[in-house]
């Protein structure tokens, strides 16, 4: 079972890396000549994005349909995360400031993979530290699992520590979704800030 799980994770990682690179090449972020940046259409990455129904940090029901009509930047995580999540959300906050008016053309979304601790109230408190346009989403475990499946994301709750706390291993990329709700590209925390900014600008340019 363990071998199978590792294989599944490895396959998933390979597929997503391939898909993301494909998206970047097609989108013109990677590729010869800067003129490719002005290509009007970035083909979507097949199979990522699908139906879900969650509750926002403000108490609203939000489904995949609500995100359509505008590109979105979707990130999975949990409020007790010591490093990756707060860093990613701070980075998103900075990138949105940098984008200026274009930031309003993207819906940034943070989906909790720790529904046990991340109630709407906990999420509401947590989101106050970041750009107010970032939409925090949580739900029951079943609802969260459906969203995770829709994005072909991954999470796994770790063993409890002596103090009773636990960590959650999770997908750490930011999915850049087009206005039809399909994956167009992704942001990786190891990329230079300028590269991430360029991808967000491209996402907006391709979907105005
Ligand atoms: Ni995290």
């Amino acid at each position: 079972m363990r071998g199978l799980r590792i294989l599944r994770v490895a396959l998933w990682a390979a597929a997503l890396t391939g898909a993301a690179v494909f998206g970047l090449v097609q989108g013109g972020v990677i590729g010869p000549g800067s003129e490719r940046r002005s290509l009007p259409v970035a083909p979507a990455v097949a199979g990522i994005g699908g139906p879900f129904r969650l509750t926002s940090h403000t108490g609203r029901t939000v489904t995949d349909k609500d995100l359509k009509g505008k590109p979105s930047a979707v990130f999975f995580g949990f409020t007790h995360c010591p490093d990756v999540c707060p860093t990613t959300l701070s980075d998103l906050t900075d990138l949105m400031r940098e984008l200026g008016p274009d930031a309003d053309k993207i819906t940034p979304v943070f989906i909790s993979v720790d529904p046990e601790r991340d109630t709407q109230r906990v999420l509401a408190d947590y989101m106050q530290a970041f750009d107010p346009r970032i939409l925090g989403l949580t739900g029951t475990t079943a609802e969260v699992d459906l969203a995770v499946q829709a994005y072909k994301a991954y999470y796994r709750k770790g063993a409890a520590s002596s103090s009773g706390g636990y960590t959650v291993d999770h997908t750490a990329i930011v999915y850049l979704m087009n206005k039809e709700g399909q994956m167009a590209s992704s942001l990786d925390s190891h990329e230079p800030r300028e590269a991430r900014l360029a991808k967000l600008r491209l996402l907006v340019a391709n979907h105005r």
Side-chain angles (χ1 to χ4, degrees):
M1 284 304 279
R2 186 172 160 75
L4 191 64
R5 194 182 72 76
I6 290 168
L7 178 67
R8 276 185 54 209
V9 171
L11 283 175
W12 174 88
L16 193 60
T17 305
V21 169
F22 176 77
L24 296 184
V25 171
Q26 294 300 305
V29 176
I30 297 171
S34 58
E35 74 281 0
R36 293 203 56 189
R37 283 176 187 274
S38 61
L39 275 179
V41 178
V45 178
I48 294 184
F52 68 81
R53 182 187 181 86
L54 293 163
T55 303
S56 77
H57 70 283
T58 60
R60 256 186 328 121
T61 296
V62 175
T63 73
D64 52 300
K65 291 190 181 75
D66 295 313
L67 296 188
K68 289 179 186 172
K70 212 166 140 178
S72 54
V74 179
F75 179 67
F76 290 87
F78 63 114
T79 66
H80 287 70
C81 180
D83 40 46
V84 176
C85 295
T87 302
T88 301
L89 291 171
S90 296
D91 285 352
L92 266 180
T93 296
D94 289 345
L95 289 167
M96 288 183 71
R97 189 184 305 125
E98 191 81 10
L99 279 174
D102 274 355
D104 290 327
K105 297 170 185 166
I106 296 176
T107 307
V109 184
F110 175 64
I111 302 180
S112 172
V113 288
D114 187 13
E116 204 176 305
R117 291 183 296 192
D118 290 344
T119 60
Q120 184 211 320
R121 178 174 291 209
V122 168
L123 206 50
D125 278 348
Y126 187 68
M127 299 316 290
Q128 283 182 17
F130 309 105
D131 189 297
R133 290 169 292 190
I134 303 176
L135 187 62
L137 297 179
T138 189
T140 64
T141 300
E143 287 169 338
V144 164
D145 286 350
L146 192 62
V148 167
Q149 278 168 35
Y151 286 88
K152 293 190 166 48
Y154 162 83
Y155 80 95
R156 191 173 65 99
K157 186 177 160 180
S161 69
S162 53
S163 59
Y166 60 87
T167 185
V168 185
D169 189 21
H170 61 89
T171 303
I173 63 159
V174 177
Y175 294 80
L176 298 186
M177 309 297 288
N178 66 24
K179 63 181 177 183
E180 284 83 33
Q182 299 156 328
M183 188 179 178
S185 178
S186 65
L187 302 182
D188 183 313
S189 60
H190 303 294
E191 293 171 317
R193 191 166 167 281
E194 283 310 312
R196 285 180 280 170
L197 203 52
K199 286 185 191 175
L200 288 169
R201 290 210 167 103
L202 187 70
L203 186 70
V204 171
N206 283 337
H207 296 280
R208 61 168 133 243

Coordinates of all heavy atoms in Angstrom, one line a residue, residues 75-88 110 113 126 167-172, ligand 1:
F75 N -4.9 28.3 -4.0 CA -3.9 27.7 -3.2 C -4.5 26.9 -2.0 O -5.5 27.3 -1.4 CB -3.0 28.9 -2.6 CG -1.9 28.4 -1.7 CD1 -0.8 27.7 -2.2 CD2 -1.9 28.7 -0.3 CE1 0.2 27.3 -1.4 CE2 -0.9 28.3 0.5 CZ 0.2 27.6 0.0
F76 N -3.9 25.7 -1.8 CA -4.4 24.9 -0.7 C -3.5 25.0 0.5 O -2.3 25.0 0.3 CB -4.5 23.4 -1.2 CG -5.5 23.1 -2.2 CD1 -5.3 23.3 -3.5 CD2 -6.8 22.7 -1.8 CE1 -6.3 23.1 -4.5 CE2 -7.8 22.5 -2.7 CZ -7.6 22.7 -4.0
G77 N -4.0 25.0 1.7 CA -3.2 25.1 2.9 C -4.0 25.0 4.2 O -5.1 24.6 4.1
F78 N -3.4 25.4 5.3 CA -4.1 25.4 6.5 C -3.5 26.5 7.4 O -2.4 26.9 7.3 CB -4.0 24.0 7.2 CG -2.6 23.6 7.6 CD1 -2.2 23.4 8.9 CD2 -1.6 23.3 6.6 CE1 -1.0 23.0 9.2 CE2 -0.3 22.9 6.9 CZ 0.0 22.7 8.3
T79 N -4.4 27.0 8.3 CA -4.0 28.2 9.1 C -2.9 28.0 10.1 O -2.3 28.9 10.5 CB -5.3 28.8 9.8 OG1 -5.7 27.9 10.8 CG2 -6.4 29.1 8.8
H80 N -2.8 26.7 10.5 CA -1.7 26.4 11.5 C -0.4 26.2 10.8 O 0.6 25.9 11.5 CB -2.1 25.2 12.3 CG -3.2 25.4 13.3 ND1 -4.5 25.6 13.0 CD2 -3.1 25.5 14.7 CE1 -5.2 25.8 14.1 NE2 -4.4 25.7 15.1
C81 N -0.3 26.3 9.5 CA 0.9 26.0 8.8 C 2.0 27.0 9.2 O 1.8 28.2 9.3 CB 0.7 26.2 7.3 SG 2.1 25.9 6.2
P82 N 3.2 26.5 9.6 CA 4.2 27.4 10.1 C 4.9 28.2 9.1 O 5.5 29.3 9.4 CB 5.2 26.4 10.8 CG 5.0 25.1 10.1 CD 3.6 25.1 9.6
D83 N 5.0 27.8 7.9 CA 5.8 28.5 6.9 C 5.3 28.7 5.5 O 5.0 29.8 5.1 CB 7.2 27.8 6.8 CG 7.0 26.2 6.8 OD1 6.1 25.7 6.1 OD2 7.8 25.6 7.5
V84 N 5.0 27.6 4.8 CA 4.6 27.7 3.4 C 3.4 28.5 3.2 O 3.3 29.4 2.3 CB 4.5 26.3 2.7 CG1 4.0 26.4 1.3 CG2 5.8 25.6 2.7
C85 N 2.3 28.3 4.0 CA 1.1 29.0 3.7 C 1.1 30.5 4.0 O 0.8 31.3 3.2 CB -0.1 28.3 4.5 SG -0.4 26.6 4.0
P86 N 1.6 30.9 5.2 CA 1.7 32.3 5.4 C 2.6 33.0 4.5 O 2.3 34.1 4.0 CB 2.2 32.4 6.9 CG 2.6 31.1 7.3 CD 1.9 30.1 6.4
T87 N 3.7 32.3 4.1 CA 4.6 32.9 3.1 C 3.9 33.1 1.8 O 4.0 34.2 1.1 CB 5.9 32.1 2.9 OG1 6.5 31.9 4.2 CG2 6.9 32.7 1.9
T88 N 3.2 32.1 1.3 CA 2.5 32.2 0.0 C 1.5 33.2 0.0 O 1.3 34.0 -0.9 CB 1.9 30.8 -0.3 OG1 3.0 29.8 -0.4 CG2 1.2 30.8 -1.7
F110 N -7.9 30.8 -1.1 CA -7.1 29.9 -0.2 C -8.1 28.9 0.3 O -9.0 29.2 1.0 CB -6.6 30.8 1.0 CG -5.9 30.0 2.1 CD1 -4.7 29.3 1.8 CD2 -6.4 30.0 3.4 CE1 -4.1 28.6 2.8 CE2 -5.7 29.2 4.4 CZ -4.6 28.5 4.1
V113 N -7.1 22.7 3.9 CA -7.1 21.3 3.9 C -7.1 20.8 5.3 O -6.6 19.7 5.6 CB -5.9 20.7 3.1 CG1 -6.1 21.0 1.6 CG2 -4.6 21.4 3.6
Y126 N -7.7 34.5 10.4 CA -6.5 34.3 9.7 C -6.4 35.2 8.5 O -5.3 35.8 8.2 CB -6.4 32.9 9.3 CG -5.1 32.4 8.7 CD1 -3.9 32.4 9.5 CD2 -5.0 32.0 7.4 CE1 -2.7 31.9 8.9 CE2 -3.8 31.6 6.8 CZ -2.7 31.6 7.6 OH -1.5 31.1 7.0
T167 N 0.5 18.7 11.9 CA 0.8 19.4 10.7 C 0.1 18.7 9.5 O -0.4 17.6 9.6 CB 2.3 19.6 10.4 OG1 2.5 20.5 9.3 CG2 3.0 18.3 10.2
V168 N -0.1 19.4 8.4 CA -0.7 18.8 7.2 C 0.2 19.0 6.0 O 0.6 20.2 5.7 CB -2.1 19.5 7.0 CG1 -2.8 18.8 5.8 CG2 -3.0 19.5 8.2
D169 N 0.6 17.9 5.4 CA 1.4 18.0 4.2 C 0.4 18.3 3.1 O -0.7 17.8 3.0 CB 2.0 16.6 4.0 CG 3.0 16.6 2.9 OD1 3.6 17.6 2.6 OD2 3.3 15.5 2.4
H170 N 0.8 19.2 2.2 CA -0.1 19.6 1.1 C 0.5 20.1 -0.1 O 1.7 20.6 0.0 CB -1.1 20.6 1.7 CG -0.5 21.9 2.1 ND1 -0.3 23.0 1.3 CD2 0.0 22.3 3.3 CE1 0.3 24.0 1.9 NE2 0.5 23.6 3.2
T171 N -0.2 20.1 -1.2 CA 0.3 20.7 -2.5 C 0.6 22.2 -2.2 O -0.2 22.9 -1.6 CB -0.9 20.6 -3.5 OG1 -1.2 19.3 -3.7 CG2 -0.4 21.2 -4.9
A172 N 1.7 22.6 -2.7 CA 2.2 24.0 -2.4 C 2.2 24.9 -3.6 O 2.6 26.1 -3.4 CB 3.5 24.0 -1.7
Ligands
LIG1 NI1 1.2 25.1 4.4

